[in-house]
Amino acid sequence: DTEVTQTPKHLVMGMTNKKSLKCEQHMGHRAMYWYKQKAKKPPELMFVYSYEKLSINESVPSRFSPECPNSSLLNLHLHALQPEDSALYLCASSQVGGWGRSRRELFFGEGSRLTVL
Amino acid sequence: GEDVEQSLFLSVREGDSSVINCTYTDSSSTYLYWYKQEPGAGLQLLTYIFSNMDMKQDQRLTVLLNKKDKHLSLRIADTQTGDSAIYFCAETPGGKLIFGQGTELSVKP
């Protein structure tokens, strides 16, 4: 199983709503990532979890709150978002290892397309 | 900081070769990557090159690396309509995977 599964595929929410994006993998990967991608732009790194602990936060606003409840699951909790937060949110997973020592392949999900009204 | 640069668009005819270029910024990246993103989909690792190599061939794909100029290229031989997608190069500064701007490849029959 080399799949990363993201739900929901599409989400429309108002600026006062609270919602969550979910990501699941069963490849035994201990590193998981959230990326944000605007149309026709490259994915931008948001968060990295390594062994279920947050290791990188790319100065993401607090209205985005990540959670890694176990080694297979990654959530992104959304609250009080702005219309400019509308984007494709991509989850990825990989083996843990120093980038300098090993080739680290990220496996991406198909993304959750978020629209904030 | 500096961006990883790629041309935004490339259009080729089916059967021709495609060459997608990338200028990266991090000279310490041990591996450099090419990812492919089809419409409405996530990213898929296409190929990679170790930084002490200057060329890698993988079936229809050839990766060339010029470390002096921080230039990476991806050549797709016998390009097919199914190769139409956005192609991202990526480097790994400081434990992160950072993507270039992406090149949209359009293959015309």
Side-chain angles (χ1 to χ4, degrees), chain A residues 37-42, chain B residues 5-13 18-22 34-40 74 76 79-89 100-108:
Chain A
Q37 186 179 27
K38 295 282 227 178
K40 304 290 188 182
K41 296 291 186 184
Chain B
E5 294 187 352
Q6 298 180 237
S7 318
L8 295 182
F9 300 102
L10 176 64
S11 180
V12 301
R13 292 219 169 268
S18 308
V19 179
I20 301 171
N21 294 304
C22 169
W34 283 102
Y35 276 80
K36 176 183 179 182
Q37 186 175 32
E38 296 182 2
L74 174 69
I76 306 173
T79 313
Q80 302 297 306
T81 54
D83 295 323
S84 293
I86 300 178
Y87 291 80
F88 294 96
C89 62
Q101 296 157 340
T103 299
E104 184 173 354
L105 175 64
S106 172
V107 183
K108 300 187 187 315

Side-chain angles (χ1 to χ4, degrees), chain A residues 26-53:
Chain A
H26 296 288
M27 292 179 276
H29 291 164
R30 302 301 294 275
M32 296 188 77
Y33 310 76
W34 281 114
Y35 280 84
K36 173 183 177 181
Q37 186 179 27
K38 295 282 227 178
K40 304 290 188 182
K41 296 291 186 184
E44 296 177 353
L45 182 64
M46 300 175 71
F47 302 104
V48 180
Y49 273 82
S50 181
Y51 296 108
E52 297 84 67
K53 292 194 187 321

Side-chain angles (χ1 to χ4, degrees), chain A residues 35 37 42 58 99 103-104, chain B residues 33 35 37 48 95-97 100:
Chain A
Y35 280 84
Q37 186 179 27
E58 289 289 278
W99 287 97
R103 176 179 65 82
R104 193 190 294 190
Chain B
Y33 301 83
Y35 276 80
Q37 186 175 32
Y48 63 94
K96 309 170 190 176
L97 185 67

Side-chain angles (χ1 to χ4, degrees), chain A residues 6 37 88 90 108-111 113, chain B residues 36-44 88:
Chain A
Q6 290 189 243
Q37 186 179 27
L88 182 68
L90 292 164
F108 282 85
E110 294 199 342
R113 188 163 297 283
Chain B
K36 176 183 179 182
Q37 186 175 32
E38 296 182 2
L43 280 77
Q44 175 190 4
F88 294 96

